[in-house]
């Protein structure tokens, strides 16, 4: 295969997620539940000056909601969100970790009331190290537990 | 008795993590006042009020002391001590049960097997909720009565040297107590547990810096320094290897012999029930504080009921 065969389709309007932790791109696609409405390009485990290695996600014709951005913050801390308009970067921001999230994480504690009754979960988030604490059962989840429990 | 609520900020008693030092001291002071009060006087405090006592799982000490406390204050008690007698059996959610009960009562006391159930109940109830144990999560009134026991015995909590012995990994009682004690001044904590039952890192981290901590697997090392030794039960089912349990369990049994090496004011506490971790020969000595500790559940629960049962 020649290098010429590899094409990253640049997007003209939409979202580019950059500086994603390696291994998070597929998880992000799964969480965003985009179906087949958008042209999507992934780059996995590419070289990065800043991180060594990183993932990238390009989504044509999509702007993310606040809730979607929170999900990305939890599973790919330090990611950069680029909003592309008319083939230019209209906005570029590091995604900030939310202080709390509602209904975004499933509590890992099987004995938690939120797993027994239909109640929206509520978690408070703290950084360095990343932790999510359930408002109900007070169980703290670590980074890998959060990664697997964002829904 | 007039209730000066300005020093108590909580609308419900759900988790010791919600308490400030001022909230804790308020309850402890109220408990002292109630303990000294004549029963006739106490009887008027919640007269005409209804306390709902919802025990979705069995409990002896906690339920009886809450119900006694409510009756001492003149309140009527309604409720159940077995979830099998309720509509939960028919599949009713906790949220719906609480929405119904809050219409019948002025304060809700609840024990429930699910973690976080008390927080949920407080969310759906306009009436105050008191957590009498939610699964393996919180049991804040136990912590408050433990603090009250220390303050009543020593006149203060600041500066006490407190050992915690036994299963420090799974015991929620010692976790909550360690967090609460770290809010007082110059308290020193001694964690004494076998390697596999050590105090979890997240608890030690949460209180580090606020309190001096020493750790050992060896009780005798710290004995002469302690004011209080808070003993807990080591549960056989925590051990994958029964031989390991047999090897460890006797090391942490308290006998009269240890009292030769302790301060004269040394006291032993235990949340009860005990199995064999405190030898009965200690019961008659001055060091045995655990039955008084259980009795202190009454004034402390009276204080909490009276504070929440009388509107701000």
């Amino acid at each position: 295969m020649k290098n010429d065969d590899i094409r990253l389709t640049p997007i003209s309007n939409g979202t580019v997620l950059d500086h994603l932790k390696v291994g998070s791109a597929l998880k992000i696609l799964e969480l965003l539940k985009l179906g087949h409405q958008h042209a999507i390009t992934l780059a996995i485990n590419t070289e990065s000056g800043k991180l060594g290695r990183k993932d990238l996600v390009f989504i044509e014709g999509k702007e993310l909601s606040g809730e979607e951005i929170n999900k990305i913050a939890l599973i790919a801390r330090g990611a950069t969100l680029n909003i592309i308009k008319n083939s230019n970067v209209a906005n570029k921001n590091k995604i900030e970790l939310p202080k709390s999230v509602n209904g975004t994480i499933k509590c890992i504690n099987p004995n938690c009331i939120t797993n027994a009754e239909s109640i929206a979960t509520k978690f408070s988030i703290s950084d360095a190290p990343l932790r999510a604490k359930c408002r109900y059962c007070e169980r703290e989840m670590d980074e890998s537990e959060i990664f697997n429990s964002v829904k | 008795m007039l209730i000066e609520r300005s020093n108590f900020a909580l609308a419900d008693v759900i988790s010791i993590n919600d308490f400030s030092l001022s909230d804790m001291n308020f309850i402890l002071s109220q408990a002292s006042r109630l303990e000294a009060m004549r029963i006739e006087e106490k009887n008027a405090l919640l007269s005409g009020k209804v306390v709902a006592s919802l025990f979705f799982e069995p409990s002896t000490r906690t339920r009886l002391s809450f119900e006694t406390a409510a009756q001492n204050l003149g309140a009527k008690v309604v409720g159940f001590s077995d979830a099998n007698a309720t509509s939960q059996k028919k599949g009713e959610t906790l949220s719906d049960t609480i929405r119904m009960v809050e219409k019948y009562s002025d304060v809700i006391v609840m024990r429930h097997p699910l973690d976080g159930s008390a927080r949920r109940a407080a969310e759906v109830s306009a009436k105050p909720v008191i957590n009498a144990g939610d699964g393996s999560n919180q049991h804040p009134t136990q912590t408050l009565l433990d603090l009250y026991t220390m303050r009543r015995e020593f006149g203060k909590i600041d500066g006490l040297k407190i050992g915690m012995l036994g299963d420090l990994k799974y015991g929620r009682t010692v976790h909550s107590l360690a967090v609460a004690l770290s809010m007082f001044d110059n308290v020193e904590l001694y964690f004494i547990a076998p390697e596999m039952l050590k105090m979890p890192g997240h608890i030690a981290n949460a209180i580090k810096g606020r309190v001096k901590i020493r750790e050992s697997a060896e009780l005798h090392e710290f004995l002469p320094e302690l004011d209080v030794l808070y003993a807990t039960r080591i549960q056989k089912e925590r051990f994958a290897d029964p031989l390991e349990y047999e090897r460890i369990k006797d090391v942490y049994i308290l006998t009269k012999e240890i009292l030769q090496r302790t301060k004269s004011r040394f006291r032993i506490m235990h949340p009860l029930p005990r199995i064999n971790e405190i030898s009965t020969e200690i019961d008659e000595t001055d060091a045995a504080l655990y039955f008084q500790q259980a009795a202190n559940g009454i004034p402390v629960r009276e204080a909490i009921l009276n504070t929440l049962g009388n509107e701000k």
Side-chain angles (χ1 to χ4, degrees), chain A residues 42-54:
Chain A
L42 298 186
I44 292 176
N45 203 25
T46 60
E47 275 187 31
S48 159
K50 204 164 137 190
L51 301 176
R53 294 271 162 188
K54 67 177 179 182

Side-chain angles (χ1 to χ4, degrees), chain B residues 294-312:
Chain B
N296 292 341
I298 301 282
V300 169
R301 290 176 175 126
E302 285 173 353
I304 295 165
L305 284 167
N306 189 39
T307 303
L308 296 185
N310 283 295
E311 287 178 33
K312 277 189 192 181

Side-chain angles (χ1 to χ4, degrees), chain A:
Chain A
M1 187 173 70
K2 291 183 299 182
N3 276 347
D4 290 0
D5 293 333
I6 303 171
R7 289 272 189 275
L8 281 183
T9 317
I11 61 174
S12 44
N13 285 292
T15 296
V16 176
L17 296 165
D18 195 1
H19 305 117
L20 298 172
K21 195 171 67 177
V22 171
S24 61
L26 287 171
K27 177 81 180 177
I28 288 170
L29 277 199
E30 181 194 323
L31 290 173
L32 295 180
K33 300 181 181 75
L34 296 172
H36 298 295
Q37 309 155 42
H38 304 275
I40 299 163
T41 306
L42 298 186
I44 292 176
N45 203 25
T46 60
E47 275 187 31
S48 159
K50 204 164 137 190
L51 301 176
R53 294 271 162 188
K54 67 177 179 182
D55 289 359
L56 281 150
V57 177
F58 302 75
I59 312 167
E60 180 73 47
K62 166 86 181 168
E63 275 199 38
L64 299 174
S65 69
E67 196 194 332
E68 288 168 331
I69 293 170
N70 282 347
K71 289 181 185 180
I72 293 163
L74 289 170
I75 63 167
R77 213 154 31 122
T80 306
L81 173 70
N82 299 279
I83 295 170
I84 311 296
K85 284 188 178 152
N86 302 320
S87 301
N88 291 314
V89 177
N91 205 329
K92 177 175 182 166
N93 278 310
K94 192 171 166 228
I95 297 179
E96 299 288 340
L97 207 56
K99 289 200 164 48
S100 63
V101 288
N102 293 348
T104 301
I105 302 174
K106 178 180 158 55
C107 186
I108 197 174
N109 174 5
N111 201 43
C112 178
I113 184 84
T114 59
N115 288 317
E117 295 191 4
S118 66
I119 301 168
T121 62
K122 297 186 176 102
F123 281 82
S124 57
I125 309 297
S126 55
D127 201 359
L130 178 64
R131 293 283 183 269
K133 186 175 182 182
C134 175
R135 170 176 157 79
Y136 295 95
C137 74
E138 305 190 1
R139 168 74 193 262
E140 262 196 358
M141 290 162 61
D142 67 21
E143 192 162 352
S144 74
E145 289 169 333
I146 295 168
F147 187 89
N148 291 316
S149 305
V150 174
K151 57 183 184 181

Side-chain angles (χ1 to χ4, degrees), chain B residues 61-289:
Chain B
R61 244 169 307 281
T62 307
R63 184 172 67 82
L64 291 180
S65 70
F66 260 118
E67 294 184 0
T68 306
Q71 287 172 6
N72 287 350
L73 300 176
K76 291 190 185 66
V77 179
V78 298
F80 50 83
S81 55
D82 177 2
N84 284 327
T86 71
S87 293
Q88 295 252 318
K89 201 91 212 239
K90 302 177 195 160
E92 183 173 56
T93 63
L94 171 68
S95 308
D96 283 0
T97 305
I98 295 297
R99 284 183 185 108
M100 182 261 308
V101 170
E102 67 140 349
K103 300 284 187 276
Y104 302 164
S105 58
D106 299 289
V107 184
I108 298 172
V109 176
M110 185 179 98
R111 167 167 292 189
H112 194 281
L114 290 174
D115 304 338
S117 52
R119 182 78 67 194
R120 176 59 181 170
E123 254 175 13
V124 296
S125 171
K127 305 285 171 58
V129 173
I130 301 171
N131 183 7
D134 61 326
S136 60
N137 182 35
Q138 283 276 328
H139 189 9
T141 64
Q142 175 73 45
T143 307
L144 291 164
L145 83 85
D146 291 342
L147 296 174
Y148 182 67
T149 301
M150 292 177 195
R151 198 172 99 152
R152 189 178 180 279
E153 188 68 18
F154 293 90
K156 62 182 173 74
I157 294 170
D158 295 335
L160 288 181
K161 295 174 193 262
I162 299 153
M164 296 184 176
L165 176 77
D167 179 358
L168 305 187
K169 183 171 180 185
Y170 299 101
R172 69 174 172 193
T173 316
V174 284
H175 299 169
S176 296
L177 184 58
V179 169
L181 285 168
S182 74
M183 293 192 216
F184 291 85
D185 285 338
N186 302 318
V187 167
E188 293 182 31
L189 295 179
Y190 300 73
F191 297 153
I192 308 153
E195 184 61 32
M196 60 177 49
L197 295 177
K198 275 173 69 171
M199 186 64 88
H202 71 95
I203 301 284
N205 282 337
I207 63 177
K208 215 162 45 189
R210 289 192 285 164
V211 64
K212 209 160 136 190
I213 297 172
R214 292 170 69 186
E215 278 190 272
S216 174
E218 182 53 48
L219 169 64
H220 290 267
E221 190 184 335
F222 295 143
L223 258 186
E225 297 176 42
L226 299 178
D227 298 305
V228 175
L229 182 59
Y230 196 101
T232 62
R233 188 152 63 94
I234 294 186
Q235 289 170 284
K236 196 173 183 173
E237 55 268 30
R238 302 292 187 201
F239 291 81
D241 178 359
L243 287 177
E244 186 66 19
Y245 169 76
E246 292 302 324
R247 195 179 64 76
I248 275 171
K249 69 167 193 199
D250 293 341
V251 178
Y252 294 93
I253 289 182
L254 303 177
T255 61
K256 216 169 172 176
E257 183 260 318
I258 67 155
L259 300 179
Q260 292 164 9
R261 311 192 45 233
T262 56
K263 291 179 184 171
S264 59
R265 285 299 306 270
F266 172 76
R267 296 291 181 265
I268 297 171
M269 292 174 62
H270 191 294
L272 304 182
R274 71 171 156 181
I275 306 302
N276 62 352
E277 53 278 7
I278 304 172
S279 156
T280 51
E281 64 188 16
I282 291 183
D283 296 356
E284 304 308 319
T285 70
D286 289 342
L289 193 54

Side-chain angles (χ1 to χ4, degrees), chain B residues 10-79:
Chain B
L10 303 174
D12 306 280
V13 170
I14 304 301
S15 164
I16 206 70
N17 296 322
D18 299 336
F19 275 74
S20 66
L21 182 61
S22 148
D23 294 327
M24 287 194 280
N25 278 328
F26 178 80
I27 295 297
L28 303 185
S29 300
Q30 291 292 318
S32 292
R33 291 176 66 177
L34 283 157
E35 197 182 343
M37 197 182 281
R38 285 181 307 114
I39 189 77
E40 299 78 23
E41 206 182 330
K42 259 202 266 197
N43 242 273
L45 294 174
L46 286 185
S47 165
K49 306 264 181 175
V50 176
V51 172
S53 168
L54 313 183
F55 280 73
F56 293 90
E57 65 174 11
S59 147
T60 316
R61 244 169 307 281
T62 307
R63 184 172 67 82
L64 291 180
S65 70
F66 260 118
E67 294 184 0
T68 306
Q71 287 172 6
N72 287 350
L73 300 176
K76 291 190 185 66
V77 179
V78 298

